[in-house]
Amino acid sequence: MSHRIVRRIRRADADVVRTLGAQGVATIHEAQGRTGLMRPYMRPIYPAARIAASAVTVSCQPGDNLMIHAAIEVCQPGDALVVAPTSESTDGMFGELLATSCRAHGILGLIIEAGVRDSADLTAMDFPVWAKAISAQGTVKASAGSVNVDVVCAGAFVRPGDVIIGDQDGVVVVRREAAAEVARLGAARIEKEEKSRRRLHAGELGVDFYGLRAKLAELGVEYVDEETEM
Amino acid sequence: MSHRIVRRIRRADADVVRTLGAQGVATIHEAQGRTGLMRPYMRPIYPAARIAASAVTVSCQPGDNLMIHAAIEVCQPGDALVVAPTSESTDGMFGELLATSCRAHGILGLIIEAGVRDSADLTAMDFPVWAKAISAQGTVKASAGSVNVDVVCAGAFVRPGDVIIGDQDGVVVVRREAAAEVARLGAARIEKEEKSRRRLHAGELGVDFYGLRAKLAELGVEYVDEETEM
Amino acid sequence: MSHRIVRRIRRADADVVRTLGAQGVATIHEAQGRTGLMRPYMRPIYPAARIAASAVTVSCQPGDNLMIHAAIEVCQPGDALVVAPTSESTDGMFGELLATSCRAHGILGLIIEAGVRDSADLTAMDFPVWAKAISAQGTVKASAGSVNVDVVCAGAFVRPGDVIIGDQDGVVVVRREAAAEVARLGAARIEKEEKSRRRLHAGELGVDFYGLRAKLAELGVEYVDEETEM
Amino acid sequence: MSHRIVRRIRRADADVVRTLGAQGVATIHEAQGRTGLMRPYMRPIYPAARIAASAVTVSCQPGDNLMIHAAIEVCQPGDALVVAPTSESTDGMFGELLATSCRAHGILGLIIEAGVRDSADLTAMDFPVWAKAISAQGTVKASAGSVNVDVVCAGAFVRPGDVIIGDQDGVVVVRREAAAEVARLGAARIEKEEKSRRRLHAGELGVDFYGLRAKLAELGVEYVDEETEM
Amino acid sequence: MSHRIVRRIRRADADVVRTLGAQGVATIHEAQGRTGLMRPYMRPIYPAARIAASAVTVSCQPGDNLMIHAAIEVCQPGDALVVAPTSESTDGMFGELLATSCRAHGILGLIIEAGVRDSADLTAMDFPVWAKAISAQGTVKASAGSVNVDVVCAGAFVRPGDVIIGDQDGVVVVRREAAAEVARLGAARIEKEEKSRRRLHAGELGVDFYGLRAKLAELGVEYVDEETEM
Amino acid sequence: MSHRIVRRIRRADADVVRTLGAQGVATIHEAQGRTGLMRPYMRPIYPAARIAASAVTVSCQPGDNLMIHAAIEVCQPGDALVVAPTSESTDGMFGELLATSCRAHGILGLIIEAGVRDSADLTAMDFPVWAKAISAQGTVKASAGSVNVDVVCAGAFVRPGDVIIGDQDGVVVVRREAAAEVARLGAARIEKEEKSRRRLHAGELGVDFYGLRAKLAELGVEYVDEETEM
């Protein structure tokens, strides 16, 4: 139960991470059986934010960014910081200076179940962040925590090296060891959806297309031509 | 109390719907005596979203979009889907494939007291949606519900065929049978506001313009030149 | 305890206000010892909103904008309205007509712990507003309140004439009499941060730069090369 | 769209109301097809609160209890007030004096989508209230509203004369004209549940009792003896 | 702007504090013009909690109770701690050991805009607490703060030595220098309410008693005997 | 990623579980380094609720209690159900019939990140439940899920067989393999606290007792006798 910083973690294959990033959060979430999604209060700080990266996890005291500084040292290009404070807070634990440091080390972005500040600067830098609040409230650098340990962030369990995908729909976590398989399932899903899209675009109805008429009948849903007064 | 899909509903006159759309939510809400407004947690998923349409209502299990598919079949061009799950949920019950299907049938947009996904795609398509959350969490197609029955959506009572107007200020419902009268009252209000705007723009004060000085005096509000220490 | 409108207040020096505006909320909040920040639910209604102004405060009944009208008369160019209803509400107490009136009198923007409406118009006018909700729900003009008295707005204590700075990170209040000193401290902070930025940009680590290695050791945080299975 | 007070409403049969009250909220909600439930933020102000009554509805300005006073006059013994402000508020619109007046007229309790005060007194009086907040914040008596019109209260549509049942599980609304039928279905449900209770109490499993083993198999849920490491 | 602990504060007269305590939160809030009420999310941790005391204020880092310990030393019997963290938190900053220490020094209770723990023990001790959460999450003793400075707690401005009254309806703050006058106004209000209570108990209607019939007519509220179908 | 029900799990020693239950949530949370606490919105449905049990975990669709039924079969006396729906919901997924079934099988209580119903009956049975809502909203028995897999419940990571302790302060999870060690650390903590309690009860100050005077000085907190006007 002591605090520790783990220097080396295993990461998913870079091509797989890239593929998952192109598939997007909704597709991946479906592809892996609707697991790994963070709670919907995790929002990107600007609309165009997108990320696909390997997670370097940070467990820390809320309102204290000491461990975020410590985490940057063990990151590699292509990583994202996943910061999980030990209790609820909206303090702005990360800002433009930390983003500058991240960028200097190839860190792609930040997922934090707390607040961030300098949000206009982060947007101008195109440094993608998913957070639960925007707040100028600053932090101390005083409390112990851990880097690259298992964390729960916004309701999702994240292991160091897991793949993190974020876009406008939120953030999803893919287990490192399942990443290639999920990417394959995601590709299959995209292909299938492309066919659905063409048929729906042509005007075919979902109730026919997905064979739902029988389901509706079985559930006892009746069709009536016009509502009559009760 | 059985579940049913009502095929034919009466709709308001298309010109009236268009007029209401041009007037906007705040004006209409005032024009009809400050009624029919949905709760402010219903937000457009992109800033430019606007809609004026006839409501096809959907009552369904949260996390289940079977009845949305069923509803599309009974829509006409110019309709909007108004989806009211039977209990609270933020699941993403609607995404880009359903929007593609909606568009193929002339459906103008979606009002949903739940979540939506593929929000970047919906924005790119300019398919307007007002929702209470954005979430990649997908849904099943398994539970009975009803289409074109009375529903309560985000605190507003909606009947099939009612006019739905949505913009940056939220969503307002106009009773179908009152639509023409509300449009007339809205037009009068806009004309009156244009006069107010000119006078206020010219520097006239609201306290003079609206005759509020007497009110302030009657309420016992005192003017003092400078605050003295208590 | 009677309601009153105070006509004359002292304001901070205009150059100091301008300087504070250029420094931004996060810097100022730090410069004055992390005080004066409003709660993070106060959000700008459009991303580019920025303000630096002297506060004319309004204490009023929620859902009643009589006192906002009264407040405009005692404003000077360069002021901002800070509206604090006496209990919680999301009603849209301010809209485009009031903004037109404000602008005619040189009022720079609005901070309101309630809702606003006509948000698309306010955005088009570039009239900056920080609010807790957007809602078309209109208001009456019926209840007594006060102008230029001490108020608590979104958790921050505001005195008439205090300097209000707002940007994407939220809203911070600077005591009028401390404004020049805070601006000086803010400038020092910006200078110091510029140096930090250059070093971090060059790849120096925060743990070295801020001397945090000793802190980590003192706190008992251990470095391990690789996680071993528990 | 004018404001009005409707003096006479139809009510459900008193015996039916009493029967529904004995069945409780969860049973009734099931019996009528899971409709009519208010949102779960409506909580009783003390644990023993229970009510079964005919609704006298009040639509009013938040923070204004004028129409509650007006409503008391048109109530009969056995009624409950159902108060729906036109926008969100937590103000304490009802207290011990109003409860004293209600009791003098045989009014059984209060359902209010806002706050109440004097909660200790209301508890001591055993005057049951379901509210969304407890707040000492008082109100004015200044704005028009309506009594005995259709309202939406906490997400449920309520017509004057509908039956209101409240207990520890929340509040449910039964359409007046459906009350007898719902009471009959509720009684059947209670009888059926009593049988289930006996069998479950005796140790029979729900998976057997409700025939769920086939369902689990059909859904592809596998049984494994022990988790093996992934 | 440095942190400080102020040893001596002025307090209101003990008899006045006692009188205010007997009057209760709702009465006092009315008596002083509906000011000074904390937000309704401040709830007593057990139903019978009541307090009337002089405020010793604490401004501190969330999740850090160092300054609470420091505050106890400067308290006198009859005081209450009013703790306002500088940003939002639900951490349990106070528990049974601190309550034991408080009681040893005659401190009557706690108002805290954060969490508390050991809630069952605090209840057993009858040590009254108003808080925004109950949470076992512990705290550090590491950050500077201040004692007996002006604070904003749950939306209310509190000065050291102000009178704090708490009961089931929430918490209200009375300015120390206004306490005697507020107690006098509260007593008058109670007397007046006793008369109202007798008349309402006897069945007199509020619309007659408060003279509201004219108001209703003036506002255009119409009486109709029965609702006719629209 | 398929759904599965794991029949056999390892559990902690029954004596250790009992010891942890006697220590309580706050003590255990401290003893294990402030980890494993569920979010504070998880509240007991009645004040006297207490539990110490081995976790049988359930991952399920919100609003669907099929998997709860399936889980009961694999429970042993002394277990608690820990139910984690895959997305947010307040539906009442558990009621008195399920509690009757649980009791027949020796299951001690329920932790559920959703709603429960029949709360008065559950209280009367003294069947302890920690939930995020009370709601009569019933559920279907239609969707696949898993039993005895790793879940995230209310922000805490729970493995099958972990020890769950719940009381008035919330819910904490102890890793099965760490249970004995945590119980030992908890006992040490209780002993130490008993000494602190005696000294604090005798009037010794925390600032002396915990040696905080040096800390305050080091942090630059100044003592002043009386506040002078700024």
Side-chain angles (χ1 to χ4, degrees):
Chain A
M1 284 154 215
S2 63
H3 297 295
R4 64 195 180 283
I5 298 168
V6 179
R7 284 207 183 89
R8 281 199 291 274
I9 58 170
R10 278 175 290 178
R11 290 170 175 83
D13 178 78
D15 281 343
V16 168
V17 175
R18 210 171 303 121
T19 302
L20 288 168
Q23 293 175 352
V25 172
T27 294
I28 292 164
H29 182 239
E30 289 292 337
Q32 67 180 355
R34 296 188 179 160
T35 58
L37 190 67
M38 291 192 185
R39 292 289 184 225
Y41 54 71
M42 294 294 283
R43 298 298 305 146
I45 62 166
Y46 54 94
R50 282 189 78 101
I51 200 168
S54 296
V56 166
T57 62
V58 181
S59 170
C60 58
Q61 177 87 358
D64 192 315
N65 64 13
L66 172 60
M67 301 313 297
I68 300 181
H69 281 286
I72 291 176
E73 188 177 20
V74 302
C75 285
Q76 293 184 0
D79 287 348
L81 293 170
V82 177
V83 180
T86 52
S87 66
E88 297 192 5
S89 170
T90 59
D91 290 357
M93 294 173 65
F94 185 100
E96 174 259 342
L97 283 183
L98 268 167
T100 298
S101 182
C102 282
R103 188 143 281 177
H105 292 269
I107 300 168
L108 298 182
L110 170 72
I111 316 294
I112 184 166
E113 193 178 1
V116 288
R117 58 181 182 174
D118 303 332
S119 53
D121 296 316
L122 297 174
T123 303
M125 290 169 72
D126 191 16
F127 186 86
V129 175
W130 285 255
K132 123 177 149 172
I134 292 173
S135 170
Q137 182 75 33
T139 49
V140 295
K141 293 175 182 44
S143 310
S146 292
V147 173
N148 280 331
V149 296
D150 296 352
V151 296
V152 172
C153 182
F157 182 65
V158 187
R159 286 192 166 129
D162 281 348
V163 185
I164 299 294
I165 301 97
D167 61 20
Q168 273 303 94
D169 282 349
V171 181
V172 72
V173 184
V174 179
R175 290 278 92 81
R176 179 185 53 77
E177 55 274 27
E181 172 66 2
V182 171
R184 198 187 57 72
L185 292 168
R189 191 175 165 85
I190 284 172
E191 197 175 346
K192 197 181 112 209
E193 286 200 340
E194 179 49 31
K195 283 180 196 148
S196 305
R197 188 174 295 109
R198 274 200 295 269
R199 290 172 66 181
L200 293 168
H201 183 77
E204 199 171 338
L205 284 165
V207 281
D208 295 318
F209 184 66
Y210 297 109
L212 302 174
R213 292 199 193 276
K215 185 84 186 173
L216 288 165
E218 176 202 332
L219 291 166
V221 179
E222 291 175 274
Y223 280 86
V224 295
D225 274 356
E226 256 168 89
E227 195 56 273
T228 50
E229 284 308 305
M230 278 183 290
Chain B
M1 283 155 217
S2 63
H3 297 294
R4 64 196 180 282
I5 298 168
V6 179
R7 283 206 183 89
R8 280 199 293 275
I9 58 170
R10 278 176 286 178
R11 291 169 174 82
D13 179 77
D15 281 343
V16 168
V17 174
R18 210 171 303 122
T19 302
L20 289 167
Q23 292 174 353
V25 172
T27 294
I28 291 164
H29 181 239
E30 289 291 338
Q32 67 180 356
R34 296 184 178 165
T35 59
L37 190 67
M38 291 193 185
R39 291 289 185 225
Y41 54 72
M42 294 295 282
R43 298 298 305 147
I45 61 166
Y46 54 94
R50 284 189 78 100
I51 200 169
S54 296
V56 166
T57 62
V58 181
S59 170
C60 59
Q61 178 87 357
D64 192 314
N65 64 14
L66 172 60
M67 300 314 297
I68 300 182
H69 281 286
I72 291 175
E73 187 177 22
V74 302
C75 285
Q76 292 184 0
D79 286 349
L81 293 170
V82 176
V83 180
T86 51
S87 65
E88 298 193 5
S89 170
T90 60
D91 290 358
M93 296 173 63
F94 185 99
E96 174 259 342
L97 283 184
L98 268 167
T100 298
S101 183
C102 282
R103 188 144 281 177
H105 292 269
I107 300 169
L108 298 181
L110 170 71
I111 316 294
I112 184 166
E113 191 178 2
V116 289
R117 58 182 182 172
D118 303 331
S119 54
D121 297 315
L122 296 175
T123 303
M125 291 170 71
D126 191 16
F127 187 85
V129 174
W130 285 254
K132 125 177 148 172
I134 291 173
S135 169
Q137 181 75 33
T139 50
V140 295
K141 291 176 184 43
S143 310
S146 293
V147 173
N148 280 331
V149 297
D150 296 351
V151 297
V152 172
C153 183
F157 182 65
V158 188
R159 286 195 165 127
D162 281 348
V163 186
I164 299 294
I165 301 97
D167 61 21
Q168 273 302 95
D169 283 348
V171 181
V172 73
V173 184
V174 178
R175 290 278 94 77
R176 179 186 54 76
E177 55 274 28
E181 172 66 3
V182 170
R184 198 187 57 72
L185 292 167
R189 190 174 167 87
I190 285 171
E191 197 174 347
K192 198 180 113 209
E193 286 200 340
E194 178 51 30
K195 284 180 196 150
S196 305
R197 187 174 295 110
R198 275 200 295 269
R199 289 172 67 179
L200 293 168
H201 183 78
E204 198 171 339
L205 284 164
V207 282
D208 295 318
F209 184 66
Y210 297 109
L212 302 173
R213 293 199 191 277
K215 186 84 185 173
L216 288 166
E218 176 202 332
L219 290 167
V221 179
E222 290 175 276
Y223 280 87
V224 296
D225 275 356
E226 258 167 88
E227 196 56 273
T228 50
E229 284 308 305
M230 278 183 291
Chain C
M1 283 155 215
S2 62
H3 297 294
R4 63 195 181 283
I5 298 167
V6 178
R7 283 206 184 88
R8 280 197 293 274
I9 58 171
R10 276 175 289 178
R11 291 168 175 83
D13 178 78
D15 280 343
V16 168
V17 175
R18 210 171 303 121
T19 302
L20 289 167
Q23 294 175 350
V25 172
T27 294
I28 292 165
H29 182 239
E30 289 291 337
Q32 66 181 355
R34 296 186 178 163
T35 59
L37 190 68
M38 291 191 187
R39 292 289 185 224
Y41 54 73
M42 295 294 283
R43 298 299 305 146
I45 61 166
Y46 54 94
R50 282 189 80 100
I51 201 169
S54 295
V56 165
T57 62
V58 181
S59 169
C60 58
Q61 178 86 358
D64 192 314
N65 65 14
L66 172 60
M67 300 313 297
I68 300 181
H69 282 285
I72 291 176
E73 186 177 22
V74 302
C75 286
Q76 292 184 0
D79 286 348
L81 293 170
V82 177
V83 179
T86 51
S87 64
E88 298 192 6
S89 170
T90 60
D91 289 357
M93 296 173 63
F94 185 100
E96 173 259 342
L97 283 184
L98 268 167
T100 299
S101 183
C102 282
R103 187 144 281 177
H105 291 270
I107 300 168
L108 298 181
L110 170 72
I111 316 294
I112 184 166
E113 192 177 3
V116 289
R117 58 182 181 173
D118 303 331
S119 54
D121 297 315
L122 296 175
T123 303
M125 291 170 71
D126 191 16
F127 186 86
V129 174
W130 286 255
K132 125 176 148 172
I134 292 173
S135 170
Q137 181 74 34
T139 50
V140 295
K141 291 175 183 48
S143 309
S146 292
V147 174
N148 280 331
V149 296
D150 296 352
V151 296
V152 172
C153 182
F157 183 64
V158 188
R159 286 194 165 128
D162 281 349
V163 186
I164 300 294
I165 300 96
D167 61 20
Q168 273 302 94
D169 283 349
V171 180
V172 71
V173 184
V174 179
R175 289 278 94 79
R176 179 185 55 75
E177 56 273 27
E181 172 66 3
V182 171
R184 199 186 57 72
L185 292 167
R189 191 174 166 86
I190 285 172
E191 197 174 348
K192 196 181 114 211
E193 286 200 340
E194 179 50 31
K195 284 179 196 150
S196 305
R197 187 175 296 110
R198 273 199 296 269
R199 291 172 66 179
L200 293 168
H201 183 76
E204 197 171 340
L205 284 164
V207 282
D208 295 318
F209 183 67
Y210 297 109
L212 302 174
R213 292 199 192 276
K215 186 83 185 173
L216 289 166
E218 176 202 333
L219 290 166
V221 179
E222 291 175 275
Y223 280 86
V224 296
D225 274 357
E226 256 168 90
E227 195 56 273
T228 51
E229 282 310 304
M230 276 183 293
Chain D
M1 283 155 216
S2 63
H3 297 295
R4 63 194 180 285
I5 298 168
V6 178
R7 283 206 184 89
R8 281 198 293 274
I9 58 171
R10 276 176 289 178
R11 291 169 174 82
D13 177 77
D15 280 343
V16 168
V17 174
R18 209 170 304 121
T19 302
L20 289 167
Q23 295 177 349
V25 172
T27 294
I28 292 165
H29 182 238
E30 290 291 337
Q32 66 180 355
R34 296 187 179 163
T35 59
L37 190 67
M38 291 193 185
R39 291 291 184 222
Y41 55 71
M42 294 294 283
R43 298 298 306 145
I45 61 167
Y46 54 94
R50 281 189 80 100
I51 201 169
S54 295
V56 166
T57 62
V58 181
S59 170
C60 58
Q61 178 85 359
D64 192 315
N65 64 13
L66 172 59
M67 300 314 297
I68 299 181
H69 282 286
I72 291 175
E73 187 176 22
V74 301
C75 285
Q76 292 184 0
D79 286 348
L81 293 170
V82 177
V83 180
T86 51
S87 65
E88 298 192 5
S89 169
T90 60
D91 289 358
M93 296 172 64
F94 186 98
E96 174 259 342
L97 283 184
L98 268 167
T100 298
S101 183
C102 282
R103 187 142 282 177
H105 292 269
I107 300 169
L108 298 181
L110 170 73
I111 316 295
I112 184 166
E113 193 179 2
V116 289
R117 57 180 181 175
D118 303 331
S119 54
D121 297 316
L122 296 175
T123 302
M125 291 171 71
D126 190 16
F127 187 86
V129 174
W130 286 255
K132 130 177 144 169
I134 291 173
S135 169
Q137 181 76 33
T139 49
V140 296
K141 292 175 183 45
S143 310
S146 292
V147 173
N148 280 331
V149 296
D150 296 352
V151 296
V152 172
C153 182
F157 182 64
V158 188
R159 285 194 166 129
D162 281 350
V163 186
I164 299 294
I165 300 97
D167 62 20
Q168 273 302 94
D169 283 348
V171 182
V172 71
V173 184
V174 179
R175 289 279 93 80
R176 179 185 54 75
E177 55 275 27
E181 171 67 3
V182 171
R184 198 187 56 73
L185 293 167
R189 193 176 165 84
I190 284 172
E191 197 175 348
K192 197 180 114 212
E193 287 200 339
E194 179 49 31
K195 284 178 197 151
S196 305
R197 188 174 296 110
R198 275 199 295 268
R199 290 173 66 181
L200 294 168
H201 183 76
E204 199 170 339
L205 285 165
V207 281
D208 295 316
F209 184 69
Y210 298 110
L212 303 173
R213 292 200 191 275
K215 186 83 185 174
L216 288 165
E218 175 201 333
L219 290 166
V221 178
E222 291 174 275
Y223 280 86
V224 296
D225 274 356
E226 257 169 89
E227 195 56 274
T228 50
E229 282 310 303
M230 278 183 291
Chain E
M1 284 156 217
S2 63
H3 296 296
R4 63 194 180 285
I5 297 167
V6 178
R7 284 208 183 86
R8 281 199 292 274
I9 58 171
R10 277 176 287 177
R11 290 168 175 83
D13 177 77
D15 281 343
V16 168
V17 174
R18 209 171 303 121
T19 302
L20 289 167
Q23 294 175 351
V25 171
T27 294
I28 292 164
H29 182 239
E30 289 292 337
Q32 66 180 355
R34 296 187 178 162
T35 58
L37 190 68
M38 292 193 184
R39 291 291 185 223
Y41 54 72
M42 294 295 282
R43 299 298 305 147
I45 61 166
Y46 54 93
R50 283 189 78 100
I51 201 169
S54 295
V56 165
T57 62
V58 181
S59 170
C60 58
Q61 179 84 358
D64 191 315
N65 64 14
L66 171 60
M67 300 314 297
I68 299 182
H69 282 286
I72 291 175
E73 186 176 23
V74 302
C75 285
Q76 292 185 1
D79 286 349
L81 293 170
V82 177
V83 180
T86 51
S87 65
E88 297 192 5
S89 170
T90 59
D91 289 358
M93 297 173 64
F94 186 99
E96 174 259 342
L97 283 183
L98 268 167
T100 298
S101 183
C102 282
R103 188 142 282 177
H105 292 270
I107 299 169
L108 298 181
L110 170 72
I111 316 293
I112 184 166
E113 193 179 2
V116 289
R117 57 180 180 174
D118 302 331
S119 53
D121 297 316
L122 297 175
T123 302
M125 291 171 71
D126 191 17
F127 187 85
V129 174
W130 285 255
K132 132 178 142 168
I134 291 172
S135 170
Q137 181 74 33
T139 50
V140 295
K141 292 176 182 46
S143 310
S146 292
V147 173
N148 280 330
V149 297
D150 296 352
V151 297
V152 172
C153 182
F157 182 65
V158 188
R159 286 192 165 129
D162 281 348
V163 186
I164 299 295
I165 299 96
D167 62 20
Q168 273 302 93
D169 283 348
V171 181
V172 71
V173 185
V174 179
R175 290 278 93 80
R176 179 186 54 75
E177 55 273 29
E181 172 66 4
V182 171
R184 199 187 56 72
L185 292 168
R189 193 175 165 85
I190 283 172
E191 197 174 348
K192 197 180 113 211
E193 286 199 341
E194 179 49 32
K195 283 180 198 151
S196 305
R197 187 174 297 110
R198 275 199 295 270
R199 290 172 66 179
L200 293 168
H201 183 77
E204 198 170 340
L205 285 164
V207 281
D208 295 318
F209 183 66
Y210 298 109
L212 302 173
R213 293 199 191 277
K215 186 83 185 174
L216 288 166
E218 176 201 334
L219 289 166
V221 179
E222 290 175 275
Y223 280 87
V224 295
D225 273 357
E226 257 168 88
E227 195 56 274
T228 51
E229 283 308 304
M230 277 184 291
Chain F
M1 284 153 216
S2 63
H3 297 293
R4 64 193 179 285
I5 298 168
V6 179
R7 284 207 183 87
R8 281 199 293 274
I9 58 171
R10 276 176 289 178
R11 291 169 174 82
D13 178 77
D15 281 344
V16 167
V17 175
R18 208 171 305 121
T19 302
L20 289 168
Q23 293 176 352
V25 172
T27 294
I28 292 164
H29 182 238
E30 289 291 337
Q32 67 180 355
R34 296 187 179 163
T35 58
L37 190 67
M38 291 193 184
R39 291 291 185 223
Y41 54 72
M42 294 295 282
R43 299 299 304 146
I45 62 166
Y46 54 94
R50 284 188 78 100
I51 200 169
S54 295
V56 166
T57 62
V58 181
S59 170
C60 59
Q61 178 86 357
D64 192 315
N65 64 14
L66 172 60
M67 300 313 297
I68 299 181
H69 282 285
I72 291 175
E73 186 177 22
V74 302
C75 285
Q76 292 184 2
D79 286 349
L81 293 170
V82 177
V83 180
T86 52
S87 65
E88 299 193 3
S89 170
T90 59
D91 289 358
M93 296 172 63
F94 186 99
E96 174 261 341
L97 283 184
L98 268 166
T100 297
S101 183
C102 283
R103 189 143 280 178
H105 292 269
I107 300 169
L108 298 181
L110 170 71
I111 316 294
I112 184 165
E113 193 178 2
V116 289
R117 57 181 181 173
D118 303 331
S119 52
D121 296 316
L122 297 174
T123 303
M125 291 171 71
D126 191 16
F127 187 86
V129 175
W130 285 255
K132 120 177 150 173
I134 291 172
S135 169
Q137 181 75 34
T139 50
V140 295
K141 293 176 182 43
S143 310
S146 293
V147 173
N148 279 331
V149 296
D150 296 353
V151 296
V152 172
C153 182
F157 182 65
V158 188
R159 286 193 165 128
D162 281 349
V163 186
I164 300 294
I165 299 98
D167 62 20
Q168 273 302 94
D169 283 349
V171 181
V172 72
V173 185
V174 178
R175 290 279 92 80
R176 179 185 53 77
E177 55 274 27
E181 171 68 2
V182 171
R184 199 187 56 73
L185 292 167
R189 191 174 166 86
I190 284 172
E191 196 175 348
K192 197 180 113 209
E193 285 200 341
E194 179 50 30
K195 284 179 196 150
S196 305
R197 188 174 296 111
R198 274 201 295 270
R199 290 172 67 179
L200 293 168
H201 182 77
E204 199 171 339
L205 285 164
V207 282
D208 295 317
F209 184 66
Y210 297 109
L212 302 173
R213 293 199 191 278
K215 186 83 184 175
L216 288 166
E218 176 201 333
L219 290 166
V221 179
E222 291 176 274
Y223 280 86
V224 296
D225 274 356
E226 258 167 89
E227 194 57 272
T228 51
E229 283 309 304
M230 278 184 290

